[in-house]
Amino acid sequence: MRGLNVAVLGSAAGGGVPQWNCRCPVCTLVWAGDARVEARTQSSIAVSADGERWLLINASPDLRQQILATPLLHPSKGARHSPIEAVALTNADVDHLAGLLVLRERQPLTVFATGQTHDILSDNPVFDVLSRDVVKRSVMRLNEAIDTGFGLVIRPFAVPGKVALFMEQSDAVRIGDVTETTIGLEIAAHGKRLVYIPGCATVDASVRKEASGADLLLYDGTTYTDDEMPKLGLSEKTAHRMGHTPMTGIGGSLSAFDGLSIGQKAYIHINNTNPVLIDGSDECQAVQAAGWTITRDGMVFSL
Ligand code: MLT
Ligand code: MN
Ligand code: ZN
């Protein structure tokens, strides 16, 4: 397993597929047991340079279920052990940090996040259940590479984003600010490069630059069209308003990386309303024809 190993623990956006209270067309198919749609947990990946020590990127509310489903992440040495050495957070959304609570029980690990995301954790005393004497909180500075000490080098970069939903004070939320609120991560090992961007409001020139030359790009696949949620009558919010890039339409991610040299492009953080989740749908076929993979839970990329 020497190489850059990437395990997709969860491929869905917040809420998962199906979402507990949702009867959108996609969720309705899953509730009915339709074989064309696979259930999915909320987005998270695990990355390793040796197949033994893993970095979790984002800790989803489904983390316990994801660990159970992934033998590589089971404890295998002594009375207490975990192959999970560290967790890196790309923002403070609930679907990215609630799983930290699953990692209690005094297991030594490091939590990497920007100063702003660490402040949100510090302001919520429930996260102190990760005892500070065993769980190290390490601040990532934008564009500064960090050697994790277990074969992976991670470098955070800011992408157009938005504050976490639970931090929104009013409807006058700023969308697309490029700050440490929302980051992408470059993970490098053995000369290979993964670029992970599960939430991003726009593919601008700097996002393209970060993605360029990646062996694997995992990108925000929240919705197919910008007005997907309003059209279904589920929410007034467009993808852009939620801080996400739609796949199609003006600025759509499907073609936004065209012309760049990228080994593999795959969508992750796919919302349950997104019709690409239905195998064989027109939208699924269009995305695949454009050279994108639609991730599923349990998918592994070996770079
Ligand atoms: C998002 O990606 O927009 C968030 O996960 C929304 C949420 O917190 O439910
Ligand atoms: Mn999310
Ligand atoms: Zn749904």
Side-chain angles (χ1 to χ4, degrees):
M1 299 260 313
R2 197 186 129 86
L4 185 51
N5 305 289
V6 182
V8 175
L9 305 183
S11 50
V17 183
Q19 179 174 310
W20 73 282
N21 63 345
C22 191
R23 288 189 46 78
C24 75
V26 174
C27 288
T28 300
L29 288 174
V30 190
W31 293 126
D34 193 299
R36 285 171 298 168
V37 195
E38 225 167 77
R40 285 168 164 85
T41 61
Q42 296 166 80
S43 66
S44 172
I45 61 171
V47 187
S48 174
D50 60 10
E52 288 186 12
R53 294 167 296 173
W54 293 82
L55 168 71
L56 209 60
I57 306 188
N58 293 323
S60 117
D62 303 317
L63 180 55
R64 181 174 178 279
Q65 179 185 343
Q66 293 168 342
I67 292 172
L68 295 186
T70 312
L72 285 165
L73 299 181
H74 294 180
S76 60
K77 295 174 193 159
R80 285 281 167 93
H81 165 251
S82 171
I84 299 171
E85 295 269 335
V87 187
L89 304 176
T90 61
N91 62 14
D93 282 351
V94 167
D95 57 347
H96 288 163
L97 54 69
L100 288 175
L101 302 177
V102 172
L103 300 176
R104 63 195 187 281
E105 317 295 2
R106 298 195 60 78
Q107 182 64 32
L109 57 112
T110 303
V111 178
F112 294 107
T114 62
Q116 193 173 334
T117 296
H118 273 305
D119 286 346
I120 293 168
L121 295 179
S122 297
D123 287 347
N124 283 273
V126 68
F127 291 107
D128 286 326
V129 73
L130 299 180
S131 313
R132 288 175 189 254
D133 57 331
V134 287
V135 177
K136 185 177 167 213
R137 299 189 184 195
S138 177
V139 175
M140 293 195 288
R141 291 194 179 75
L142 294 177
N143 303 311
E144 284 185 19
I146 297 177
D147 186 340
T148 58
F150 51 94
L152 301 171
V153 175
I154 61 181
R155 183 179 58 82
F157 53 89
V159 299
K162 161 184 101 47
V163 293
L165 180 60
F166 65 90
M167 306 272 297
E168 290 187 11
Q169 305 282 1
S170 68
D171 259 353
V173 173
R174 297 175 63 92
I175 313 286
D177 281 356
V178 184
T179 68
E180 57 174 45
T181 300
T182 313
I183 60 168
L185 290 171
E186 175 194 69
I187 317 286
H190 307 296
K192 299 290 181 183
R193 194 168 156 253
L194 158 71
V195 173
Y196 191 64
I197 310 176
C200 181
T202 340
V203 183
D204 63 10
S206 85
V207 172
R208 276 174 55 88
K209 188 159 172 260
E210 294 293 353
S212 180
D215 295 285
L216 172 62
L217 168 67
L218 285 167
Y219 191 77
D220 179 346
T222 306
T223 65
Y224 191 70
T225 51
D226 192 45
D227 61 358
E228 190 166 298
M229 303 279 290
K231 265 222 168 113
L232 290 165
L234 296 172
S235 161
E236 289 175 357
K237 291 180 185 170
T238 60
H240 185 73
R241 172 62 185 79
M242 296 188 289
H244 295 292
T245 322
M247 293 177 176
T248 59
I250 297 163
S253 59
L254 206 57
S255 56
F257 297 93
D258 285 0
L260 300 177
S261 156
I262 299 174
Q264 296 180 72
K265 289 179 292 192
Y267 281 119
I268 195 160
H269 191 279
I270 308 165
N271 198 55
N272 55 73
T273 50
N274 192 326
V276 303
L277 292 171
I278 306 171
D279 286 341
S281 67
D282 291 348
E283 295 85 354
C284 171
Q285 291 182 38
V287 165
Q288 288 171 337
W292 287 81
T293 297
I294 300 159
T295 58
R296 299 168 185 269
D297 294 14
M299 203 174 243
V300 173
F301 296 89
S302 302
L303 307 176

